[in-house]
Structures are given as C-alpha cells and as structure tokens.
Amino acid sequence: MSTQPEHAPLHPYAPAPGAPAELLAQLRADQRADTWVPAFERQWATALEESRKSFSLAALYEVIQEWEGRLASAPAIDAFVASGYDDSDFTDMAELRGRRRRR
C-alpha cells in the first residue's frame, strides 16, 4: 500500500533570502524599469498575499523565477528585435484554433 502526501510538493527552486531585493535592483537598472518595476511589484504583492493565506512560498518563488527569466532573456530579445528579422509571416495560433472549432 502506498500513500500520497496530501500537501503540495516542495518547490524545486528555493531562491536566496535576498533574491527579491537583488532582483528589484536589477529591474530598476534595466532600460524597461518604467514598466517592469511596477509590474514586478504588483505580482510580488499578489504572491505575498497568496502566501500569507496558503502558508506556502511557491507563489513567491514563481514570481522570482519568472522575472529572473525575463531579465536573462532580455538581451537576446533585444538583439532579435535589433537584427531587423522579419517575422511578419507567422501564423496566428488563435486563428488556427478558431478554424478547428468551426469544423
């Protein structure tokens, strides 16, 4: 007989205690600070409130991971945009999904 835990599994990534402050400092130093800092602060406040209610740090960890990913990928995205690569021939996935539903 095997039993399954009734609680949520531990989050695989546990940031350092100072990670949110370091992340916020990096966001403030970025060229997108005007939009990114308020967005991070909103998401952090929402995750903090959720953590208070659930006694879980998972939401806070997810916010940190998401924003670390944005910061890490920003140079590649900037380079892509600056390259002038034409991506106008993409297929809109929403349009494809609409076609499937009509059939």
Side-chain angles (χ1 to χ4, degrees):
M1 182 185 319
S2 68
T3 60
Q4 298 294 324
E6 292 183 18
H7 64 284
L10 294 176
H11 204 277
Y13 167 75
E22 292 172 15
L23 182 59
L24 188 55
Q26 291 174 346
L27 290 172
R28 287 182 175 144
D30 193 272
Q31 65 187 6
R32 300 163 195 84
D34 292 343
T35 56
W36 279 14
V37 170
F40 171 78
E41 289 173 340
R42 279 191 305 272
Q43 277 187 293
W44 185 256
T46 301
L48 191 58
E49 186 59 32
E50 181 180 327
S51 291
R52 286 183 183 138
K53 292 177 182 176
S54 68
F55 297 101
S56 170
L57 299 175
L60 296 171
Y61 292 173
E62 289 171 7
V63 170
I64 292 172
Q65 278 186 313
E66 179 182 330
W67 283 95
E68 284 176 342
R70 284 184 185 167
L71 277 173
S73 63
I77 293 169
D78 291 342
F80 176 79
V81 171
S83 73
Y85 181 79
D86 180 20
D87 64 346
S88 62
D89 62 342
F90 77 96
T91 303
D92 184 5
M93 295 305 289
E95 183 180 326
L96 285 177
R97 279 190 233 102
R99 287 183 196 166
R100 282 191 214 153
R101 290 180 189 155
R102 285 185 236 141
R103 289 182 187 183

